[in-house]
Amino acid sequence: MTAIDELVRLCPPPSDPPSAVDWAGTERALGVPLPADYKRLVETYGPGVFSETVWLLAPGAGRSHVDLLAQTAERDEILESLREWEADEWPVELGEPGARVVPWAYEEGSGAFLYWLVRPDRDPDEWPVLYNEGRGPLWERHGPGCAAFLLGVLTGTVETSYFGYLYEVLKPAEHHFEAAASLPED
C-alpha cells in the first residue's frame, strides 16, 4: 500500500475529481520535472487543505494562494530577498549550482512552507522535503516523498518539531480534506 493509498483511507478525497492538470506545461514553466507521488496526490485531491492545516498546492488551481506556479514565483522572490540575511541558516545544498527549492504545500496561518530540495543531479522522486518556518531561519529536512511526509504529519509518525497538534489533538478518524474550490475565497 502506498502513502497515497493510506492517505485516502485516513482522509478521503473530494467526491468530485479535481480538474486535469497539464503536467508537461507545468514542468516546462518550472524548469524541472515533478515527483510522481506529488502528481498522484494532486490528481487524487486537487488543491485544498488537510485538517485545516496543510494546504496542498496544485498547478492551475485558479486561486493564487494554492496555485503551484504562483506560489513558486512568490516564494522565489521572497526567499531571494531573505537569502543574504539568513544564508548561514540555509541548507548547504542550496549553495550547489542549479540547486533550488520548489514549494508544494504550506501551513495555515504560520508563514511556513514545505518545499522539495531540487538538485539537478537527482531524480525528482528522491528530492527531500524541506520545512521552512517562514517567519524565521529554521529549515527542517525530511526524506523524499511529499505524500509520505504528509501521511506522517497526520498520523504523528514523522519526526518534526512542527505539526504536533495534528496528531496530539485530532484522532486519525477526524482528519479531513477540503477542496479549495469548496471554500470561500480570501
Side-chain angles (χ1 to χ4, degrees):
M1 182 175 288
T2 69
I4 294 173
D5 295 330
E6 290 183 49
L7 269 172
V8 167
R9 287 180 52 196
L10 178 69
C11 222
S15 55
D16 293 331
S19 300
V21 173
D22 174 9
W23 291 115
T26 299
E27 292 172 333
R28 269 193 311 278
L30 289 172
V32 295
L34 292 168
D37 74 324
Y38 169 74
K39 291 177 183 178
R40 185 162 173 229
L41 193 59
V42 168
E43 290 167 352
T44 302
Y45 288 95
V49 61
F50 287 87
S51 295
E52 300 175 4
T53 303
V54 180
W55 284 89
L56 178 64
L57 305 177
R63 296 180 181 190
S64 65
H65 75 284
V66 288
D67 185 86
L68 177 70
L69 295 175
Q71 285 301 313
T72 299
E74 184 177 304
R75 299 312 305 163
D76 284 350
E77 186 177 314
I78 289 168
L79 290 174
E80 188 58 38
S81 70
L82 295 174
R83 194 173 196 138
E84 65 185 64
W85 298 66
E86 301 173 352
D88 57 333
E89 304 286 341
W90 287 49
V92 174
E93 298 93 342
L94 285 176
E96 296 174 6
R100 65 186 268 216
V101 292
V102 173
W104 59 271
Y106 68 90
E107 184 181 7
E108 172 67 30
S110 72
F113 270 78
L114 292 163
Y115 297 92
W116 294 290
L117 174 56
V118 176
R119 295 165 73 193
D121 61 335
R122 300 286 166 91
D123 182 281
D125 295 328
E126 296 175 5
W127 293 341
V129 169
L130 297 177
Y131 174 94
N132 176 252
E133 65 182 335
R135 294 188 175 121
L138 176 79
W139 290 85
E140 191 177 79
R141 183 188 181 109
H142 298 276
C146 60
F149 178 80
L150 181 57
L151 178 64
V153 163
L154 295 176
T155 60
T157 58
V158 69
E159 289 188 33
T160 177
S161 298
Y162 301 90
F163 302 112
Y165 54 91
L166 284 177
Y167 52 87
E168 291 167 359
V169 175
L170 295 176
K171 304 290 182 239
E174 296 174 341
H175 289 294
H176 60 281
F177 178 83
E178 293 176 88
S182 69
L183 300 170
E185 290 197 45
D186 293 344

